[in-house]
Amino acid sequence: MLNDKLQAAIAKFEKQAKWPADNDKFRFKVAEASDYPQIYQLFEDTFGEKRSDEHVQWKYWGNPSGEPFAVIAIDIQTDKVVAACTGMNKKAWVDGKESKGIMLWDIAVHPDVRGGGRLFRDITYGMQIAVNAQQGVNWGFGGQSKPTVIKMGIRWFGYHMILSLKCWELRLSMRPALVQRLGALGGLLARVTDIFTKLSSHRGNYEIRVIDKCGDAFDTLLQQQKDLYRVSVWRDAATLNWRYFDHPIFVHQMLGAYKNDKLVGYIVWREYIDETVKVGTVLDLWHGESQQIARDLFLAASQSARSRQAGFMRMSVETGTTTQLAIAAIEGTSITERVEDDNVITAMMLGEDPNAHDAAAYGEMDTVTNGANWFYTQGDVDFRD
């Protein structure tokens, strides 16, 4: 049974949402494979960012959960794609069974045809209708959502903001501060000061190993622990390898925690330059609801990142979760104001008739639109990808 909030969203969707009608300027359709080169070009024209062929193939076509899905607007005069709402299929585990959601990304309207948000609204409504009608997808989600997008999404599309992740930070070195103040001399001084700056150490309850490829142990761990959460994005070996080790742009680091030679948890992070400072950002931390495993992995990752001269280790987490409690208990960690909160939204994909779904579908929508049901990390979406 749907709660009052979702019933209100259905009523609004039924009144507002329609498949966009073709007109004298634009026609609308679900994208075919031949349309995607124009979608890539639209992204470049809209955001001024060019992706390599390797990057495009990885992001759009390498995902083990399935091929992308997009609703597009085509300019009648030029026959070019001028707006696109694109989604990445995401296999998930919801209430004890396999599910598939759609992660909305690369939503673009060409600068030459913008005006009042009409095209943006049309293609997004089109996505909510078509992905359900054609693929049976009942829900969508996205991260790093801006307040203006959330406000518009709540008003038009029935978005629900389910999580607001705050970034916790651990200083690994005095190098960034000293270099900023003293230049090259500061770098030399940091070598000395860092000798005497000790990080907390993990307690040795688990053997920590470097992982360079995920294998059967990750599939086993997923099967053993997937029911810890009512909602979690699929984390089998194939998906993890695609997401992190096959990435054409960023190199990811991964450590596993082992007990009696069995994998019991893992952490994945990315190191990059953020405003002249090298930082590590944790994208996934699976711990089976053990604060000790979470703590040991975060500290082991921090030591590893420090060895490569990272100045900070960061992770954005929801307050009150096992992950957040474990990180907050580590000496020296604190919330940083340098990183914006990461707002996570979900939406129901209600299809052609929002009242025509069965109880199982409505139950799935109800579950995923409640943030308390989720195990979520920033690696679940296309973080800076």
Side-chain angles (χ1 to χ4, degrees), residues 208-242:
I208 305 296
R209 302 179 189 172
V210 175
I211 306 292
D212 55 19
K213 202 74 171 177
C214 300
D216 292 344
F218 289 82
D219 294 335
T220 300
L221 182 64
L222 175 66
Q223 293 302 320
Q224 291 172 340
Q225 296 188 350
K226 62 183 185 293
D227 285 318
L228 287 172
Y229 310 100
R230 293 185 65 184
V231 185
S232 59
V233 171
W234 205 245
R235 286 167 163 78
D236 64 340
T239 301
L240 291 171
N241 284 330
W242 164 76

Side-chain angles (χ1 to χ4, degrees), residues 241-254:
N241 284 330
W242 164 76
R243 178 69 184 87
Y244 299 115
F245 293 121
D246 296 342
H247 201 296
I249 306 299
F250 293 104
V251 174
H252 294 93
Q253 311 294 331
M254 188 175 201

Side-chain angles (χ1 to χ4, degrees), residues 270-287:
R270 177 187 297 174
E271 297 169 12
Y272 55 94
I273 303 299
D274 184 16
E275 296 182 354
T276 74
V277 177
K278 187 175 184 179
V279 301
T281 293
V282 177
L283 296 181
D284 208 344
L285 175 49
W286 187 271
H287 44 63

Side-chain angles (χ1 to χ4, degrees), residues 13 20 27 38 63-64 72 74-75 93 109 123 128-130 151 169 173 223 229-230 233 269 284 333 337 344 351 371:
F13 185 90
R27 59 186 177 91
Q38 284 204 55
N63 176 16
I72 58 176
I74 299 173
D75 187 292
W93 191 250
V109 177
I123 58 175
Q128 289 182 287
I129 292 168
K151 184 177 180 181
E169 181 178 81
S173 170
Q223 293 302 320
Y229 310 100
R230 293 185 65 184
V233 171
W269 74 99
D284 208 344
T333 58
E337 301 298 328
V344 182

Side-chain angles (χ1 to χ4, degrees), residues 365-380:
M365 296 177 194
D366 202 356
T367 296
V368 300
T369 50
N370 183 348
N373 295 329
W374 279 73
F375 177 83
Y376 180 93
T377 66
Q378 288 185 305
D380 290 337

Side-chain angles (χ1 to χ4, degrees), residues 18-30 71-76 79 118-119 122-123 126:
K18 301 289 186 293
W19 175 261
D22 295 349
N23 54 56
D24 59 351
K25 292 183 178 180
F26 310 110
R27 59 186 177 91
F28 301 87
K29 60 178 283 191
V30 172
V71 171
I72 58 176
I74 299 173
D75 187 292
I76 296 292
D79 206 36
R118 179 63 183 270
L119 271 180
D122 285 346
I123 58 175

Side-chain angles (χ1 to χ4, degrees), residues 331-353:
E331 183 179 357
T333 58
S334 61
I335 295 174
T336 175
E337 301 298 328
R338 286 187 284 265
V339 179
E340 292 182 345
D341 292 354
D342 185 346
N343 298 313
V344 182
I345 57 95
T346 58
M348 297 179 291
M349 302 289 113
L350 286 166
E352 295 169 341
D353 183 351

